[in-house]
């Protein structure tokens, strides 16, 4: 069960419908923002007594929170579809203001109350292998026009998000397009000589990824089709890391 509540900021009243602008203060105070609370309640396996609940809470942590975030993000994705809002994004662990896990009785947890709970501290950010080398330097190069983003980078990020959120069919289709874009773009990139072996490797994945993409058009993927998409995406990410190394002058 998922319960969502709006919290926080005082209501911002709108002016006359005829007014589209109002005078702004020269040094305005920070504007209060609305926050929300999402509570994921497991109701199919209730605890037999408080001792069992307390024992579960002692061992609970980031794994349980990751499961609950997946529940929330499935709901957000569904709302994104029905509202046709392309800007509605999933929620990541490091976007949470507060993360609590606990247990309660009856309507307690639906109202943000607990019999017992603990707050989870944000773990040290685990760097994904797909992160480029020296991101600050790359960002400066992009903003300064000394480097340019590749279409395959964005497509690979979208595929990774779909995979992480369990949308295998969408991921397979994204990987197919990302792979084609990566082969074309990296072959014409100034770093192409340093990426020759990686480009050959990516070309070898074209047929199995195309098969996975075709299967995705018809229905769920089987294990081999999903594995082909996952592995190809990992190799695209590796090639992009190698490009970053080459651009940084380390290869």
């Amino acid at each position: 069960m998922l319960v969502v509540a709006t919290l926080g900021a005082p209501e911002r009243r709108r002016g006359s419908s005829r007014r589209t602008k109002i005078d702004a203060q020269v040094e305005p105070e920070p504007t209060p923002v609305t926050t929300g609370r999402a509570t994921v309640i497991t109701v199919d396996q209730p605890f037999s007594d408080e001792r069992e609940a307390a024992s579960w809470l002692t061992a609970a942590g980031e794994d349980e929170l990751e499961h609950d975030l997946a529940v929330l993000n499935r709901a957000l994705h569904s709302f994104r579809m029905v509202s046709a809002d392309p800007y509605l994004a999933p929620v990541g662990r490091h976007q949470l203001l507060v993360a609590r896990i606990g247990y309660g009785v009856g309507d307690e947890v639906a109202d943000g109350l607990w019999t017992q709970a603990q707050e989870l501290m944000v773990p040290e950010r685990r760097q994904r292998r797909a992160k480029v080398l020296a991101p600050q330097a790359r960002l400066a190069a992009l903003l300064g026009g000394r480097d340019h983003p590749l279409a395959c980078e964005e497509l690979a990020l979208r595929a990774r998000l779909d995979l992480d959120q369990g949308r295998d069919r969408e991921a397979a289709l994204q990987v197919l397009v990302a792979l084609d874009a990566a082969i074309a773009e990296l072959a014409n990139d100034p770093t192409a000589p340093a990426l020759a072996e990686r480009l050959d490797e990516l070309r070898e994945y074209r047929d199995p990824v195309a098969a996975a993409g075709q299967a995705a058009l018809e229905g769920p993927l089987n294990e081999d089709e999903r594995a082909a998409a996952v592995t190809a995406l990992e190799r695209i990410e590796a090639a992009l890391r190698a490009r970053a190394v080459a651009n940084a002058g380390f290869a």
Side-chain angles (χ1 to χ4, degrees):
M1 180 183 299
L2 174 63
V3 180
V4 180
T6 301
L7 308 172
E11 179 183 359
R12 297 180 62 189
R13 299 186 179 277
R14 297 183 180 273
S16 169
S17 60
R18 296 181 181 179
R19 300 179 61 187
T20 59
K21 299 180 181 179
I22 59 174
D23 292 335
Q25 299 177 12
V26 177
E27 296 183 8
E29 294 293 327
T31 302
V33 296
T34 301
T35 59
R37 180 183 65 221
T39 305
V40 179
I41 308 169
T42 302
V43 296
D44 58 339
Q45 296 179 329
F47 298 114
S48 58
D49 54 37
E50 190 165 344
R51 177 179 297 180
E52 181 183 0
S55 176
W56 168 83
L57 182 59
T58 300
E62 290 294 325
D63 288 343
E64 285 73 16
L65 179 60
E66 182 178 353
H67 170 271
D68 293 346
L69 271 175
V71 173
L72 173 60
N73 282 326
R74 283 198 299 271
L76 290 174
H77 182 70
S78 297
F79 185 69
R80 180 174 183 264
M81 294 295 100
V82 301
S83 62
D85 183 358
Y87 295 98
L88 185 59
V91 176
R93 171 66 176 94
H94 289 79
Q95 293 172 292
L96 305 182
L97 299 178
V98 180
R100 300 185 184 94
I101 189 166
Y103 63 89
V105 178
D107 295 333
E108 280 183 332
V109 288
D111 294 328
L113 304 175
W114 312 85
T115 298
Q116 187 174 350
Q118 61 186 12
E119 186 172 322
L120 301 181
M121 298 295 100
V122 178
E124 292 185 8
R125 185 181 297 273
R126 292 173 291 183
Q127 295 292 332
R128 184 189 294 279
R129 285 177 55 83
K131 293 293 186 183
V132 299
L133 181 69
Q136 294 86 354
R138 175 89 196 284
L139 177 59
L142 288 173
L143 295 178
R146 300 186 303 277
D147 192 6
H148 63 280
L150 303 180
C152 63
E153 292 181 282
E154 176 63 28
L155 294 167
L157 287 174
R158 296 179 188 183
R160 174 57 62 187
L161 177 60
D162 282 331
L163 272 180
D164 287 352
Q165 296 298 319
R167 298 189 291 269
D168 292 349
R169 294 179 63 201
E170 293 88 334
L173 294 169
Q174 289 279 10
V175 171
L176 176 56
V177 181
L179 180 61
D180 284 344
I183 292 171
E185 290 181 303
L186 294 178
N188 294 306
D189 194 77
T191 61
L195 303 179
E197 292 185 6
R198 294 187 182 275
L199 276 165
D200 289 341
E201 181 185 37
L202 292 181
R203 293 185 182 103
E204 292 177 359
Y205 283 102
R206 182 59 175 73
D207 288 344
V209 169
Q214 183 60 43
L217 294 175
E218 301 171 1
L221 304 183
N222 63 35
E223 186 174 334
D224 290 339
E225 292 160 348
R226 185 183 188 279
V230 170
T231 304
L233 178 58
E234 290 173 348
R235 302 323 301 158
I236 294 170
E237 293 169 339
L240 291 173
R241 289 196 302 273
R243 176 182 182 264
V245 172
N247 275 334
F250 292 102

